[in-house]
Amino acid sequence: MKPAPFRYHRPQSLGEALALLSGHPDARVIAGGQSLGPMMNMRLAQPAELVDLNDLKNLSFVNEHENALEIGALTRHHAVATSPLVRKHCPLLAEAAQTIGHYAIRSRGTLGGSLAHADPAAQLPLVAATLGAEIAVAGKRGERRIAAKDFFVSLMSTALEPDEILVSARFPKAAPGERHAYLQFSRRQGDFAIVAVACTLLHQKLKIGIGGVEDKPVVLLDLEPSDPAALGRAAREAVDPTENPRVPALYRKELVEVLVKRCVAKCLTSS
Amino acid sequence: MLDFELTVNGERHAVRAEPRKLLCDVLREDCRLTGTHVGCEHGVCGACTVLIDGRPARACLTYAVQMQGHEITTIEAVAKDGKPSALQQALHEAHGLQCGFCTPGIVMTFEAYLKENPRPSEEAVREVLSGNLCRCTGYQNIVAAILRVAQAASDGKA
């Protein structure tokens, strides 16, 4: 349970970090290290070069724009969950961030790290996909912005190129009167969700995001806010869970039905 | 091998280690501070929790080399002049430990948490404690000890 050897780099600017990545094809960036760290300790990841982004303090911020909050990649989950701006304008994001791992994990793990890691059961990819966030990545050719639906490609695989770094994400602000709810189920507090459900309701249109079920978050759009039980059954039919010896696909379908029903009911009655 | 300096509990330590050496191993083997315990080595059990610039972190998910320029606080710095902290005293009085393996991680987690939230609910305490595995106590007395500290903070304010 010790990582394989690597060379350590500690860039002092984004430009320096990008130059390191383009010069070393075997490099990985590390920020909070709460996903990459365990993978390296278990030697599931063995990067030859490790590029530590923790000195890039200007990547840690929450900025308010007219229609969106822009959050820097190095912003820790705890800062996202407790930020007054996030709580006010993106309450679904704050609520979901509060459920990530544990207190010490949230104090260290970063928004950019979770999005780039793209675990299909993780909270932030689910919220980004559900809210239609836009993800900004920097590379030597400049910056580009990618819609969440195009960013998450498959299991732990994104549109990020090996020589690019995720720098920020823009989450649309909740509109006046918009409601939301978030629910997840895991065997133990702090584990990755077996199924997670996020939903929003605006102008009598429901959006339901489902995580943990397929290789990336599933988002169902423009649903009529009808009977929660009927929506649960519809969601169950809409997902195609990955078969897993410890979590049968049928079990995940059952969970999707129950959690969507409860999440919609919670959303309809929230204020 | 790299040569670097670590600041642990306000003291500087000259360290020579590979970049891959985990902070928990450097603390124990190079700084000779064996109060930080090493359990699962992948961030799950919480035994190795220390403070980095005052915030709790898993020392097994941190490479010591990353900590140059940061302040590390370990369990050795919690008691002052041989006097246990309020939390340590409460754990003692409420029988909040048995074998003690998980205790340093729990103390470091809650030293930080209670500073941020001096009067948490029992539910909040249990949510935070979920990040530290204890195989002896069943958690009841740990929760009781932490709530005792929270209660004392409330009484002090009243």
Side-chain angles (χ1 to χ4, degrees):
Chain A
M1 297 294 282
K2 311 291 182 192
F6 56 81
R7 272 200 294 270
Y8 177 71
H9 305 273
R10 193 163 169 170
Q12 297 302 302
S13 69
L14 184 61
E16 199 187 323
L18 290 170
L20 283 164
L21 284 191
S22 46
H24 299 287
D26 284 346
R28 287 287 295 268
V29 298
I30 191 165
Q34 304 301 290
S35 298
L36 185 56
M39 288 173 68
M40 286 176 63
N41 285 3
M42 293 188 266
R43 302 208 178 187
L44 298 171
Q46 303 191 14
E49 319 276 335
L50 198 63
V51 178
D52 187 349
L53 302 183
N54 280 289
D55 282 350
L56 308 183
K57 304 279 187 249
N58 58 354
L59 290 184
S60 175
F61 59 83
V62 179
N63 287 340
E64 184 176 0
H65 297 278
E66 194 180 341
N67 296 316
L69 286 187
E70 183 187 13
I71 305 180
L74 208 65
T75 312
R76 314 276 173 189
H77 302 316
H78 183 72
V80 172
T82 56
S83 154
L85 275 176
V86 178
R87 285 183 166 185
K88 181 173 175 201
H89 295 296
C90 298
L92 172 62
L93 174 61
E95 190 178 330
Q98 183 62 40
T99 69
I100 298 172
H102 305 285
Y103 183 56
I105 304 292
R106 292 193 292 276
S107 296
R108 197 78 193 140
T110 66
L111 177 110
S114 174
L115 293 176
H117 185 58
D119 189 305
Q123 287 85 346
L124 299 186
L126 173 61
V127 172
T130 307
L131 293 181
E134 194 178 62
I135 290 152
V137 305
K140 55 180 189 253
R141 297 165 301 280
E143 193 171 300
R144 60 191 183 113
R145 290 193 192 174
I146 309 165
K149 68 177 170 50
D150 302 320
F151 183 78
F152 300 109
V153 174
S154 180
L155 190 76
M156 292 173 188
S157 150
T158 67
L160 200 61
E161 296 293 337
D163 60 351
E164 288 179 321
I165 293 175
L166 194 160
V167 290
S168 66
R170 275 174 191 252
F171 291 84
K173 284 184 186 173
E178 185 170 331
R179 297 173 176 189
H180 78 277
Y182 177 81
L183 284 177
Q184 63 179 36
F185 180 82
S186 53
R187 288 209 179 89
R188 292 167 301 193
Q189 177 75 35
D191 280 5
F192 274 108
I194 296 174
V195 174
V197 176
C199 74
T200 65
L201 174 66
L202 181 65
H203 305 318
Q204 292 304 301
K205 291 287 178 201
L206 264 176
K207 249 198 297 194
I208 300 175
I210 305 167
V213 173
E214 296 184 16
D215 60 354
K216 57 184 176 178
V218 177
V219 183
L220 309 173
L221 295 167
D222 293 333
L223 302 168
E224 297 295 329
S226 58
D227 172 29
L231 284 161
R233 286 192 295 275
R236 176 197 178 110
E237 293 313 311
V239 295
D240 183 15
T242 322
E243 192 65 55
N244 176 309
R246 290 199 296 173
V247 187
L250 180 65
Y251 180 70
R252 280 195 215 266
K253 273 185 170 277
E254 297 274 350
L255 266 181
V256 166
E257 181 174 344
V258 170
L259 287 181
V260 166
K261 181 178 83 175
R262 289 183 191 164
C263 197
V264 168
K266 194 174 164 204
C267 189
L268 295 177
T269 56
S270 71
S271 50
Chain B
M1 288 287 189
L2 289 178
D3 288 296
F4 54 93
E5 213 169 61
L6 281 188
T7 306
V8 185
N9 303 332
E11 280 182 31
R12 291 185 168 192
H13 294 258
V15 175
R16 165 168 287 200
E18 283 185 85
R20 66 175 176 147
K21 193 160 184 181
L22 302 173
L23 176 60
C24 52
D25 293 333
V26 166
L27 288 171
R28 293 176 59 84
E29 295 167 11
D30 299 76
C31 304
R32 304 276 168 175
L33 295 167
T34 54
T36 299
H37 293 169
V38 182
C40 71
E41 295 190 308
H42 63 292
V44 171
C45 79
C48 69
T49 305
V50 298
L51 306 186
I52 299 173
D53 301 326
R55 303 290 311 162
R58 305 291 202 231
C60 74
L61 298 185
T62 310
Y63 308 108
V65 67
Q66 296 182 281
M67 291 296 105
Q68 298 167 81
H70 295 278
E71 299 270 348
I72 311 294
T73 310
T74 67
I75 187 69
E76 284 86 352
V78 174
K80 302 277 186 245
D81 304 320
K83 191 173 174 292
S85 71
L87 175 58
Q88 288 174 313
Q89 186 65 34
L91 283 163
H92 170 68
E93 288 169 7
H95 293 280
L97 62 149
Q98 286 183 31
C99 85
F101 187 84
C102 66
T103 311
I106 289 173
V107 170
M108 298 318 290
T109 303
F110 279 91
E111 289 290 341
Y113 184 73
L114 290 170
K115 202 166 275 180
E116 192 178 0
N117 302 280
R119 288 175 291 282
S121 65
E122 178 174 342
E123 190 190 357
V125 166
R126 286 183 179 275
E127 194 279 322
V128 174
L129 188 57
S130 72
N132 295 80
L133 300 183
C134 170
R135 303 288 78 166
C136 302
T137 64
Y139 303 100
Q140 302 292 350
N141 290 346
I142 305 175
V143 172
I146 295 161
L147 290 175
R148 191 181 283 212
V149 178
Q151 186 60 46
S154 296
D155 295 347
K157 286 273 175 193

